[in-house]
Coordinates of all heavy atoms in Angstrom, one line a residue:
M196 N 2.7 -27.1 -24.8 CA 2.6 -28.0 -26.1 C 4.1 -28.4 -26.6 O 4.4 -29.5 -26.8 CB 1.9 -27.4 -27.2 CG 0.3 -27.6 -27.1 SD -0.1 -29.3 -27.0 CE -0.3 -29.7 -28.8
G197 N 4.8 -27.3 -26.7 CA 6.2 -27.4 -27.1 C 7.1 -28.3 -26.2 O 7.9 -29.0 -26.7
W198 N 6.7 -28.1 -25.0 CA 7.2 -29.0 -23.8 C 7.2 -30.4 -24.0 O 8.0 -31.2 -24.0 CB 6.6 -28.6 -22.5 CG 7.4 -28.8 -21.2 CD1 8.4 -28.1 -20.8 CD2 7.1 -29.9 -20.4 NE1 8.8 -28.7 -19.6 CE2 8.1 -29.7 -19.3 CE3 6.2 -31.0 -20.4 CZ2 8.1 -30.7 -18.3 CZ3 6.3 -31.9 -19.3 CH2 7.3 -31.7 -18.3
S199 N 5.9 -30.8 -24.4 CA 5.6 -32.3 -24.5 C 6.1 -32.8 -25.8 O 6.5 -33.9 -25.9 CB 4.0 -32.5 -24.5 OG 3.4 -31.6 -25.4
L200 N 6.2 -32.0 -26.8 CA 6.8 -32.2 -28.1 C 8.3 -32.6 -28.0 O 8.8 -33.4 -28.5 CB 6.5 -31.2 -29.2 CG 5.3 -31.3 -30.0 CD1 5.1 -30.0 -30.8 CD2 5.0 -32.5 -30.7
G201 N 8.9 -31.8 -27.0 CA 10.2 -31.9 -26.8 C 10.5 -33.3 -26.1 O 11.5 -34.1 -26.5
L202 N 9.6 -33.7 -25.3 CA 9.7 -35.0 -24.6 C 9.5 -36.2 -25.6 O 10.2 -37.2 -25.6 CB 8.7 -35.2 -23.5 CG 8.7 -36.4 -22.7 CD1 9.6 -36.2 -21.4 CD2 7.4 -36.8 -22.2
V203 N 8.6 -36.0 -26.5 CA 8.4 -37.0 -27.6 C 9.6 -37.1 -28.4 O 10.0 -38.3 -28.7 CB 7.2 -36.6 -28.4 CG1 7.1 -37.3 -29.7 CG2 5.9 -36.6 -27.7
Y204 N 10.2 -36.0 -28.8 CA 11.4 -36.2 -29.6 C 12.5 -36.9 -28.8 O 13.3 -37.6 -29.4 CB 11.9 -34.8 -30.0 CG 11.3 -34.2 -31.2 CD1 10.4 -33.1 -31.2 CD2 11.4 -34.8 -32.5 CE1 9.8 -32.6 -32.3 CE2 10.7 -34.5 -33.6 CZ 9.9 -33.2 -33.5 OH 9.2 -32.8 -34.7
A205 N 12.6 -36.5 -27.5 CA 13.7 -37.3 -26.7 C 13.5 -38.7 -26.6 O 14.4 -39.5 -26.8 CB 13.6 -36.6 -25.2
I206 N 12.2 -39.2 -26.4 CA 11.9 -40.5 -26.5 C 12.2 -41.2 -27.8 O 12.9 -42.2 -27.9 CB 10.4 -40.8 -26.1 CG1 10.1 -40.4 -24.7 CG2 10.0 -42.1 -26.4 CD1 8.6 -40.3 -24.4
L207 N 11.8 -40.5 -28.9 CA 12.1 -41.1 -30.2 C 13.7 -41.2 -30.5 O 14.1 -42.2 -31.1 CB 11.5 -40.1 -31.3 CG 10.0 -40.1 -31.5 CD1 9.5 -39.2 -32.4 CD2 9.6 -41.6 -32.0
F208 N 14.5 -40.4 -29.9 CA 15.8 -40.2 -30.1 C 16.5 -41.3 -29.3 O 17.4 -42.1 -29.7 CB 16.4 -38.8 -29.7 CG 17.8 -38.6 -30.2 CD1 18.0 -38.5 -31.5 CD2 18.8 -38.8 -29.3 CE1 19.4 -38.2 -31.9 CE2 20.1 -38.5 -29.7 CZ 20.3 -38.3 -31.0
Y209 N 16.1 -41.5 -28.0 CA 16.8 -42.4 -27.1 C 16.4 -43.9 -27.1 O 17.1 -44.6 -26.6 CB 16.8 -41.8 -25.7 CG 17.7 -40.5 -25.5 CD1 17.0 -39.4 -25.3 CD2 19.0 -40.7 -25.5 CE1 17.9 -38.2 -25.1 CE2 19.8 -39.5 -25.5 CZ 19.3 -38.3 -25.1 OH 19.9 -37.3 -25.1
T210 N 15.1 -44.1 -27.6 CA 14.7 -45.5 -27.5 C 14.7 -46.1 -28.8 O 14.6 -45.4 -29.9 CB 13.3 -45.6 -26.8 OG1 12.5 -44.8 -27.6 CG2 13.2 -45.3 -25.4
P211 N 15.0 -47.5 -28.8 CA 15.0 -48.2 -30.1 C 13.7 -48.1 -30.9 O 12.6 -48.0 -30.2 CB 15.4 -49.6 -29.8 CG 15.2 -49.7 -28.5 CD 15.3 -48.3 -27.8
F212 N 13.7 -48.2 -32.2 CA 12.5 -47.8 -33.0 C 11.3 -48.5 -32.6 O 10.2 -47.8 -32.4 CB 12.8 -48.1 -34.5 CG 11.7 -48.0 -35.4 CD1 10.9 -46.7 -35.5 CD2 11.0 -49.1 -35.9 CE1 9.7 -46.7 -36.3 CE2 9.8 -49.0 -36.7 CZ 9.2 -47.8 -36.9
P213 N 11.1 -49.8 -32.6 CA 9.6 -50.4 -32.3 C 9.0 -49.8 -31.0 O 8.0 -49.8 -31.0 CB 9.9 -51.9 -32.4 CG 11.3 -52.2 -32.3 CD 12.1 -51.0 -32.6
L214 N 9.9 -49.7 -30.0 CA 9.6 -49.3 -28.7 C 9.1 -47.9 -28.6 O 8.2 -47.5 -27.7 CB 10.6 -49.6 -27.6 CG 10.4 -50.9 -26.6 CD1 11.8 -51.1 -26.0 CD2 9.3 -50.6 -25.8
S215 N 9.8 -47.0 -29.3 CA 9.7 -45.6 -29.3 C 8.3 -45.0 -29.7 O 7.8 -44.1 -29.0 CB 10.8 -45.0 -30.1 OG 10.6 -45.2 -31.5
I216 N 7.7 -45.7 -30.5 CA 6.4 -45.1 -31.1 C 5.4 -45.2 -29.9 O 4.7 -44.1 -29.5 CB 5.8 -45.9 -32.3 CG1 7.0 -45.8 -33.4 CG2 4.5 -45.5 -32.7 CD1 7.2 -44.4 -33.8
P217 N 4.9 -46.3 -29.3 CA 4.0 -46.3 -28.3 C 4.5 -45.4 -27.1 O 3.7 -44.6 -26.4 CB 3.8 -47.7 -27.7 CG 5.0 -48.4 -28.4 CD 5.4 -47.7 -29.5
L218 N 5.8 -45.4 -26.7 CA 6.3 -44.5 -25.6 C 6.1 -43.2 -26.0 O 5.7 -42.4 -25.0 CB 7.7 -44.9 -25.5 CG 8.1 -46.0 -24.3 CD1 9.5 -46.1 -24.4 CD2 7.6 -45.5 -22.9
A219 N 6.4 -42.8 -27.2 CA 6.3 -41.3 -27.5 C 4.8 -40.9 -27.5 O 4.5 -39.8 -27.0 CB 6.8 -41.2 -29.0
I220 N 3.8 -41.7 -27.9 CA 2.4 -41.4 -27.9 C 1.9 -41.3 -26.5 O 1.3 -40.3 -26.1 CB 1.5 -42.5 -28.7 CG1 2.0 -42.3 -30.1 CG2 0.2 -42.3 -28.5 CD1 1.4 -43.6 -30.9
A221 N 2.4 -42.3 -25.7 CA 2.0 -42.3 -24.2 C 2.6 -41.0 -23.5 O 1.9 -40.3 -22.8 CB 2.5 -43.5 -23.5
G222 N 3.8 -40.7 -23.9 CA 4.4 -39.5 -23.3 C 3.7 -38.2 -23.7 O 3.5 -37.4 -22.8
F223 N 3.4 -38.2 -24.9 CA 2.6 -37.0 -25.4 C 1.4 -36.9 -24.8 O 0.9 -35.8 -24.3 CB 2.4 -37.2 -27.0 CG 1.9 -35.9 -27.7 CD1 2.6 -34.8 -27.9 CD2 0.5 -36.1 -28.0 CE1 2.1 -33.7 -28.4 CE2 -0.1 -34.9 -28.7 CZ 0.6 -33.8 -28.9
I224 N 0.5 -37.9 -24.6 CA -0.8 -38.0 -23.9 C -0.6 -37.5 -22.6 O -1.4 -36.6 -22.0 CB -1.5 -39.2 -24.2 CG1 -1.9 -39.4 -25.7 CG2 -2.8 -39.3 -23.3 CD1 -2.3 -40.8 -26.1
L225 N 0.3 -38.2 -21.8 CA 0.5 -38.0 -20.5 C 0.9 -36.4 -20.1 O 0.3 -35.9 -19.2 CB 1.5 -39.0 -19.8 CG 0.9 -40.4 -19.4 CD1 2.2 -41.2 -19.1 CD2 0.1 -40.2 -18.3
T226 N 1.8 -36.0 -21.0 CA 2.2 -34.6 -20.6 C 1.1 -33.6 -20.9 O 0.9 -32.7 -20.2 CB 3.5 -34.2 -21.5 OG1 3.2 -34.6 -22.9 CG2 4.8 -34.9 -20.9
N227 N 0.3 -33.9 -22.0 CA -0.7 -33.0 -22.4 C -1.8 -33.0 -21.2 O -2.3 -32.0 -20.8 CB -1.4 -33.3 -23.6 CG -0.8 -32.7 -24.9 OD1 -0.1 -31.8 -24.7 ND2 -1.0 -33.3 -26.0
F228 N -2.1 -34.2 -20.7 CA -3.1 -34.4 -19.6 C -2.5 -33.6 -18.4 O -3.2 -32.9 -17.7 CB -3.1 -35.8 -19.3 CG -4.1 -36.2 -18.2 CD1 -5.4 -36.1 -18.6 CD2 -3.8 -36.6 -17.0 CE1 -6.5 -36.5 -17.6 CE2 -4.8 -37.0 -16.0 CZ -6.1 -36.8 -16.3
Y229 N -1.2 -33.8 -18.1 CA -0.6 -33.0 -16.9 C -0.7 -31.6 -17.0 O -1.0 -30.9 -16.1 CB 0.8 -33.5 -16.9 CG 1.6 -33.1 -15.6 CD1 1.1 -33.4 -14.2 CD2 2.7 -32.2 -15.7 CE1 1.8 -33.0 -13.2 CE2 3.3 -31.8 -14.5 CZ 2.9 -32.2 -13.4 OH 3.5 -31.7 -12.2
L230 N -0.3 -31.2 -18.4 CA -0.4 -29.7 -18.6 C -1.9 -29.1 -18.4 O -2.0 -28.0 -17.9 CB 0.2 -29.3 -19.9 CG 1.8 -29.5 -20.1 CD1 2.1 -29.2 -21.5 CD2 2.4 -28.4 -19.1
K231 N -2.8 -29.8 -18.9 CA -4.2 -29.5 -18.8 C -4.5 -29.3 -17.4 O -5.2 -28.3 -17.0 CB -5.1 -30.5 -19.4 CG -5.5 -30.0 -20.9 CD -6.5 -31.0 -21.4 CE -6.6 -30.9 -22.9 NZ -7.2 -32.0 -23.6
K232 N -4.1 -30.2 -16.5 CA -4.5 -30.3 -15.1 C -3.8 -28.8 -14.5 O -4.6 -28.2 -13.7 CB -3.8 -31.4 -14.5 CG -4.8 -32.5 -14.1 CD -4.1 -33.5 -13.2 CE -5.1 -34.4 -12.5 NZ -4.4 -35.5 -11.6
I233 N -2.7 -28.5 -14.8 CA -2.0 -27.4 -14.3 C -2.8 -26.2 -14.8 O -3.0 -25.2 -14.0 CB -0.5 -27.2 -14.9 CG1 0.3 -28.4 -14.1 CG2 0.2 -25.9 -14.5 CD1 1.7 -28.5 -14.7
V234 N -3.2 -26.1 -16.0 CA -3.9 -24.9 -16.6 C -5.2 -24.8 -15.9 O -5.7 -23.7 -15.4 CB -4.2 -25.2 -18.0 CG1 -5.2 -24.1 -18.7 CG2 -2.9 -25.1 -18.9
V235 N -6.0 -25.9 -15.6 CA -7.2 -25.9 -14.9 C -7.0 -25.3 -13.5 O -7.8 -24.4 -13.0 CB -7.9 -27.3 -15.0 CG1 -9.0 -27.3 -13.9 CG2 -8.4 -27.6 -16.2
K236 N -6.0 -25.8 -12.8 CA -5.7 -25.3 -11.5 C -5.3 -23.8 -11.5 O -5.8 -23.1 -10.6 CB -4.4 -25.9 -10.9 CG -4.7 -27.1 -10.0 CD -3.4 -27.7 -9.4 CE -3.8 -29.0 -8.6 NZ -2.5 -29.5 -8.1
R237 N -4.5 -23.3 -12.5 CA -4.3 -21.8 -12.6 C -5.6 -21.1 -12.7 O -5.7 -20.0 -12.2 CB -3.3 -21.6 -13.7 CG -1.9 -21.8 -13.3 CD -1.0 -21.5 -14.2 NE 0.4 -22.0 -14.0 CZ 1.4 -22.0 -15.0 NH1 1.1 -21.6 -16.2 NH2 2.5 -22.5 -14.5
M238 N -6.4 -21.6 -13.6 CA -7.8 -20.9 -13.9 C -8.5 -20.7 -12.7 O -9.2 -19.7 -12.4 CB -8.6 -21.7 -15.0 CG -7.8 -21.7 -16.3 SD -7.8 -20.2 -17.2 CE -9.4 -20.3 -18.0
N239 N -8.5 -21.8 -11.7 CA -9.3 -21.8 -10.6 C -8.7 -20.8 -9.5 O -9.5 -20.1 -9.0 CB -9.1 -23.2 -9.9 CG -10.2 -24.2 -10.5 OD1 -11.1 -23.7 -11.3 ND2 -9.9 -25.5 -10.4
V240 N -7.4 -20.7 -9.5 CA -6.8 -19.7 -8.7 C -7.1 -18.4 -9.2 O -7.4 -17.5 -8.4 CB -5.2 -20.0 -8.8 CG1 -4.5 -18.8 -8.1 CG2 -4.9 -21.3 -8.1
I241 N -7.0 -18.1 -10.5 CA -7.5 -16.8 -11.0 C -8.8 -16.3 -10.7 O -9.2 -15.3 -10.2 CB -7.2 -16.8 -12.5 CG1 -5.8 -16.7 -12.8 CG2 -7.8 -15.5 -13.2 CD1 -5.4 -17.1 -14.2
S242 N -9.8 -17.4 -10.8 CA -11.2 -17.1 -10.6 C -11.5 -16.9 -9.0 O -12.2 -16.0 -8.7 CB -12.1 -18.2 -11.1 OG -11.9 -19.5 -10.5
D243 N -10.6 -17.6 -8.3 CA -10.9 -17.5 -6.8 C -10.3 -16.1 -6.4 O -11.0 -15.4 -5.5 CB -9.9 -18.4 -6.0 CG -10.6 -19.8 -5.9 OD1 -11.8 -19.7 -6.2 OD2 -10.0 -20.8 -5.5
R244 N -9.2 -15.6 -7.0 CA -8.8 -14.3 -6.7 C -9.8 -13.2 -7.1 O -10.0 -12.3 -6.3 CB -7.4 -14.0 -7.5 CG -6.2 -14.6 -6.6 CD -4.9 -14.1 -7.3 NE -3.8 -14.9 -6.7 CZ -2.7 -15.1 -7.4 NH1 -2.6 -14.7 -8.7 NH2 -1.8 -15.9 -7.0
R245 N -10.3 -13.4 -8.2 CA -11.3 -12.5 -8.8 C -12.5 -12.3 -7.9 O -13.0 -11.2 -7.6 CB -11.8 -12.8 -10.1 CG -11.0 -12.1 -11.3 CD -11.7 -12.5 -12.7 NE -10.7 -12.3 -13.7 CZ -10.8 -12.8 -14.9 NH1 -11.8 -13.5 -15.2 NH2 -9.8 -12.6 -15.8
S246 N -13.0 -13.5 -7.3 CA -14.2 -13.4 -6.5 C -13.9 -12.8 -5.1 O -14.7 -12.1 -4.5 CB -14.9 -14.8 -6.4 OG -13.9 -15.7 -5.8
S247 N -12.5 -13.0 -4.7 CA -12.3 -12.5 -3.3 C -11.8 -11.0 -3.3 O -12.0 -10.4 -2.3 CB -11.2 -13.4 -2.6 OG -9.9 -13.1 -3.5
S248 N -11.3 -10.6 -4.5 CA -10.8 -9.2 -4.5 C -11.8 -8.3 -5.3 O -11.3 -7.3 -5.9 CB -9.4 -9.0 -5.0 OG -9.3 -9.5 -6.4
G249 N -13.0 -8.7 -5.5 CA -13.9 -8.0 -6.3 C -14.4 -6.8 -5.5 O -13.9 -6.4 -4.5
P250 N -15.3 -6.0 -6.2 CA -15.8 -4.8 -5.5 C -16.4 -5.1 -4.2 O -17.1 -6.1 -4.0 CB -16.8 -4.3 -6.5 CG -17.1 -5.3 -7.4 CD -16.1 -6.3 -7.4
Q251 N -16.1 -4.2 -3.3 CA -16.6 -4.5 -1.9 C -18.2 -4.4 -1.9 O -18.9 -3.6 -2.3 CB -16.2 -3.4 -0.9 CG -14.8 -3.5 -0.5 CD -14.6 -4.7 0.6 OE1 -15.5 -4.8 1.4 NE2 -13.5 -5.3 0.7
S252 N -18.7 -5.7 -1.3 CA -20.2 -5.8 -1.3 C -20.7 -5.5 0.2 O -22.0 -5.5 0.4 CB -20.6 -7.2 -1.9 OG -20.0 -8.2 -1.1
V253 N -19.7 -5.6 1.1 CA -20.1 -5.3 2.5 C -20.3 -3.7 2.6 O -19.4 -3.0 2.3 CB -19.2 -5.8 3.4 CG1 -19.6 -5.6 4.9 CG2 -18.9 -7.2 3.2
N254 N -21.4 -3.3 3.1 CA -21.7 -2.0 3.4 C -22.4 -1.8 4.8 O -22.6 -2.9 5.4 CB -22.6 -1.4 2.4 CG -22.4 0.0 2.0 OD1 -21.8 0.8 2.8 ND2 -22.7 0.3 0.8
Y255 N -22.3 -0.6 5.3 CA -22.9 -0.5 6.7 C -24.0 0.5 6.4 O -24.1 1.3 5.7 CB -21.9 0.2 7.6 CG -20.7 -0.8 7.8 CD1 -19.5 -0.3 7.3 CD2 -20.8 -1.9 8.6 CE1 -18.3 -1.2 7.4 CE2 -19.8 -2.7 8.7 CZ -18.5 -2.4 8.2 OH -17.4 -3.1 8.5
S256 N -25.1 0.3 7.4 CA -26.2 1.2 7.4 C -26.3 1.7 8.8 O -26.2 0.9 9.8 CB -27.5 0.4 7.0 OG -27.9 -0.5 7.9
C257 N -26.5 2.9 8.9 CA -26.6 3.7 10.3 C -27.8 3.2 11.0 O -28.8 3.1 10.4 CB -26.6 5.1 9.9 SG -26.8 6.1 11.4
I258 N -27.6 2.9 12.2 CA -28.8 2.4 13.0 C -29.6 3.6 13.3 O -30.9 3.5 13.4 CB -28.3 1.6 14.3 CG1 -27.7 0.2 13.9 CG2 -29.2 1.6 15.3 CD1 -27.0 -0.5 15.0
N259 N -29.0 4.7 13.5 CA -29.7 5.9 14.0 C -30.6 6.5 12.9 O -31.8 6.7 13.2 CB -28.7 7.1 14.4 CG -29.3 8.0 15.3 OD1 -30.2 7.9 16.0 ND2 -28.8 9.3 15.1
C260 N -30.1 6.6 11.7 CA -31.0 7.3 10.6 C -31.2 6.4 9.5 O -31.8 6.8 8.5 CB -30.3 8.7 10.1 SG -28.7 8.5 9.3
G261 N -30.4 5.3 9.2 CA -30.7 4.4 8.2 C -29.8 4.7 6.9 O -30.1 4.0 6.0
T262 N -28.9 5.6 7.0 CA -28.1 5.8 5.8 C -27.1 4.7 5.5 O -26.4 4.3 6.4 CB -27.3 7.2 6.0 OG1 -28.3 8.3 6.5 CG2 -26.6 7.7 4.8
N263 N -27.0 4.3 4.3 CA -25.9 3.4 3.8 C -24.6 4.1 3.7 O -24.6 5.0 2.8 CB -26.5 2.7 2.7 CG -27.7 1.7 2.9 OD1 -27.7 1.0 3.9 ND2 -28.5 1.7 2.0
H264 N -23.6 3.6 4.4 CA -22.3 4.2 4.1 C -21.3 3.1 4.5 O -21.6 2.1 5.1 CB -22.2 5.4 5.1 CG -22.2 5.2 6.5 ND1 -21.1 4.8 7.2 CD2 -23.3 5.2 7.3 CE1 -21.6 4.7 8.5 NE2 -22.9 4.9 8.6
S265 N -19.9 3.5 4.1 CA -18.9 2.5 4.4 C -17.8 3.1 5.3 O -16.7 2.8 5.3 CB -18.3 2.0 3.3 OG -17.9 3.0 2.4
Q266 N -18.2 4.3 5.9 CA -17.2 4.9 6.9 C -17.3 4.5 8.3 O -18.3 3.8 8.7 CB -17.4 6.5 6.7 CG -16.8 7.1 5.5 CD -17.8 8.0 4.7 OE1 -19.0 7.8 4.8 NE2 -17.2 8.9 3.9
A267 N -16.4 4.9 9.2 CA -16.5 4.7 10.5 C -17.7 5.2 11.3 O -18.3 4.6 12.0 CB -15.2 5.2 11.2
A268 N -17.9 6.6 10.8 CA -19.0 7.3 11.4 C -20.1 7.5 10.4 O -19.5 7.8 9.2 CB -18.6 8.5 12.3
C269 N -21.2 7.7 10.6 CA -22.3 8.2 9.7 C -22.1 9.5 9.2 O -21.9 10.4 10.0 CB -23.7 7.9 10.3 SG -24.9 8.6 9.3
P270 N -21.9 9.7 7.8 CA -21.7 11.0 7.3 C -22.9 12.0 7.4 O -22.8 13.2 7.4 CB -21.5 10.8 5.8 CG -22.1 9.4 5.5 CD -22.1 8.6 6.7
K271 N -24.0 11.5 7.7 CA -25.2 12.3 8.0 C -25.5 12.7 9.4 O -25.7 13.9 9.5 CB -26.5 11.4 7.3 CG -27.5 12.3 6.8 CD -28.7 11.4 6.2 CE -29.7 12.1 5.4 NZ -30.7 11.3 4.9
C272 N -25.5 11.9 10.3 CA -25.8 12.2 11.6 C -24.6 12.1 12.6 O -24.5 12.5 13.7 CB -27.0 11.5 12.1 SG -26.7 9.7 12.4
G273 N -23.5 11.5 12.1 CA -22.3 11.3 12.9 C -22.3 10.1 13.9 O -21.3 10.1 14.6
S274 N -23.3 9.3 13.8 CA -23.4 8.3 14.8 C -22.5 7.1 14.3 O -22.3 6.8 13.3 CB -24.8 7.8 14.8 OG -24.9 6.5 15.5
K275 N -21.9 6.5 15.3 CA -21.0 5.4 15.1 C -21.7 4.1 15.2 O -21.1 3.0 15.0 CB -19.8 5.4 15.9 CG -18.8 6.5 15.5 CD -17.5 6.5 16.4 CE -16.5 7.6 15.9 NZ -15.4 7.8 16.7
M276 N -22.9 4.1 15.5 CA -23.7 3.0 15.7 C -24.2 2.5 14.3 O -24.9 3.2 13.5 CB -25.0 3.1 16.5 CG -24.7 3.5 18.0 SD -24.1 2.1 18.9 CE -25.6 1.3 19.2
K277 N -23.7 1.3 13.8 CA -24.1 0.9 12.4 C -24.2 -0.6 12.5 O -23.6 -1.3 13.2 CB -23.0 1.3 11.5 CG -21.6 0.8 11.7 CD -20.6 1.6 10.9 CE -19.2 0.8 11.2 NZ -18.1 1.8 11.1
G278 N -24.9 -1.1 11.4 CA -25.0 -2.5 11.3 C -24.4 -2.9 9.8 O -24.5 -2.2 9.0
A279 N -24.0 -4.1 9.9 CA -23.3 -4.6 8.5 C -24.4 -4.8 7.6 O -25.6 -5.4 8.0 CB -22.5 -5.9 8.8
N280 N -24.3 -4.4 6.4 CA -25.3 -4.5 5.4 C -24.7 -5.3 4.2 O -23.9 -4.9 3.5 CB -25.7 -3.2 4.8 CG -27.0 -3.1 4.4 OD1 -27.8 -4.1 4.5 ND2 -27.6 -2.0 3.9
F281 N -25.0 -6.6 4.1 CA -24.5 -7.5 3.0 C -25.3 -7.4 1.7 O -26.4 -7.8 1.7 CB -24.3 -8.9 3.5 CG -23.3 -9.1 4.6 CD1 -23.8 -9.0 6.0 CD2 -22.0 -9.2 4.3 CE1 -22.9 -9.1 6.9 CE2 -21.1 -9.4 5.4 CZ -21.5 -9.5 6.7
R282 N -24.7 -6.7 0.8 CA -25.5 -6.6 -0.5 C -24.7 -7.1 -1.6 O -23.6 -7.0 -1.6 CB -25.9 -5.1 -0.7 CG -26.8 -4.5 0.3 CD -27.2 -3.1 -0.1 NE -26.0 -2.2 -0.4 CZ -26.2 -1.0 -0.7 NH1 -27.5 -0.6 -0.8 NH2 -25.3 -0.3 -0.8
S283 N -25.4 -7.6 -2.7 CA -24.7 -8.1 -3.8 C -24.5 -7.0 -4.8 O -25.2 -6.1 -5.0 CB -25.5 -9.2 -4.5 OG -26.8 -8.8 -4.8
Ligands
ZN256 ZN1 -26.8 8.2 10.6

């Protein structure tokens, strides 16, 4: 917001009076529109990061005894045979 107000003041200062008013308004609206776009983009990036780095939903279930675990080998029977278990 302060950024766009600075631009408006610059336009008011550097352009002659009758021209400066519509230019200042256009500049204000354009910069706000542009800043909103950036904010929306940042929000999307944040939500993307959140969804990708959330708690691990992929688990494994032992094929031998059916125990759900996320280790290389089954903690119950020691079997390394396991299937991916996608849970929410
Ligand atoms: Zn097992």
